[in-house]
Amino acid sequence: YFNSHDGIYDGVREVDCSSISIKLPDLPLLQKEDLPTFLLPNDPLFASIVPFVHENIKILEQDSEACVLVNTFNELEEASIKAVHGMNLIPIGPLIPSAFCDGYDSSDKSVGGNLFDIPENDCLQWLDSKPERSVVYASFGSLLSLKKQEKMEILHGLKEAGRSYLLVLRADNEQEEDVKAVVENISSEEGMIVPWCSQMEV
């Protein structure tokens, strides 16, 4: 992505993303639609995330003994780990707090972080009010930007499923009016929509 010869960003400019493709080892050719949205110049997060990641990679490339700890395990992504040259990728995962995996330390629940400084919400309390295994959980990660049509399809799909649902839908600065109208008409019995939640605890 950051290779100025055939990448799509070189720290100074972005190329026209409409016709890009990126080849990574052991994966089919990736098109624009396959990339995380925050890598594309029209995404609101692009200006803050991409230069930060680019700067970190440039620093790592200058260190002949650079090591990067990766939250994965070798058997899952062996080819990808070997494909990165010039850096020693060390798989140390999966990193899951004890309370969620082996139960050895029930107080060890710290995981992840809140990228957008969004206040905690009462989704866990809402979940506890529902019968066990009765709620559909839908989340697309902290960084993905959904188009209006995608949001509407997801909302309609969850409604049609006829089950309670917890939907994590990142708040946009300019939430579309029709999406906003659907969200505001959802009852607490039907579902709950939050801009962020602690996925492990959910």
Side-chain angles (χ1 to χ4, degrees):
Y1 178 84
F2 291 117
N3 182 308
S4 60
H5 180 258
D6 58 2
I8 65 172
Y9 179 82
D10 64 6
V12 178
R13 58 172 178 80
E14 311 88 39
V15 301
D16 174 23
C17 290
S18 59
S19 60
I20 63 160
S21 60
I22 294 179
K23 178 67 181 138
L24 298 174
D26 292 335
L27 290 175
L29 200 62
L30 301 176
Q31 306 297 329
K32 173 187 172 187
E33 297 77 25
D34 303 315
L35 300 176
T37 53
F38 67 85
L39 290 176
L40 304 174
N42 59 350
D43 188 274
L45 292 174
F46 177 87
S48 57
I49 292 180
V50 170
F52 172 76
V53 173
H54 187 232
E55 185 63 28
N56 277 277
I57 289 175
K58 284 195 320 191
I59 291 168
L60 286 168
E61 287 176 337
Q62 293 169 6
D63 185 346
S64 60
E65 298 179 9
C67 292
V68 179
L69 306 180
V70 185
N71 186 11
T72 188
F73 54 99
N74 200 54
E75 291 79 4
L76 180 64
E77 299 183 89
E78 184 174 12
S80 299
I81 292 166
K82 287 180 177 174
V84 177
H85 301 289
M87 283 179 225
N88 183 15
L89 299 189
I90 303 172
I92 58 168
L95 296 177
I96 301 173
S98 177
F100 301 108
C101 64
D102 59 18
Y104 181 74
D105 180 359
S106 60
S107 66
D108 177 21
K109 292 185 176 182
S110 61
V111 64
N114 185 336
L115 289 177
F116 303 105
D117 197 27
I118 297 170
E120 293 289 335
N121 50 58
D122 55 359
C123 69
L124 293 177
Q125 185 178 351
W126 179 84
L127 272 175
D128 287 341
S129 74
K130 302 294 178 189
E132 189 173 324
R133 303 175 68 84
S134 68
V135 176
V136 174
Y137 173 59
S139 175
F140 300 91
S142 300
L143 302 177
L144 181 70
S145 292
L146 295 171
K147 296 182 177 98
K148 176 181 125 178
Q149 186 61 32
E150 292 170 326
K151 291 177 190 175
M152 293 299 285
E153 290 292 333
I154 291 164
L155 288 164
H156 289 306
L158 288 169
K159 185 178 180 86
E160 290 294 315
R163 306 208 30 194
S164 295
Y165 56 85
L166 173 60
L167 171 62
V168 183
L169 192 60
R170 193 177 94 203
D172 292 328
N173 290 336
E174 298 176 9
Q175 184 76 283
E176 300 89 350
E177 285 303 313
D178 34 3
V179 173
K180 200 173 185 178
V182 172
V183 169
E184 288 172 354
N185 286 317
I186 293 170
S187 71
S188 62
E189 282 303 306
E190 186 180 339
M192 184 172 198
I193 298 178
V194 294
W196 181 89
C197 70
S198 173
Q199 183 163 295
M200 278 294 205
E201 293 189 13
V202 165

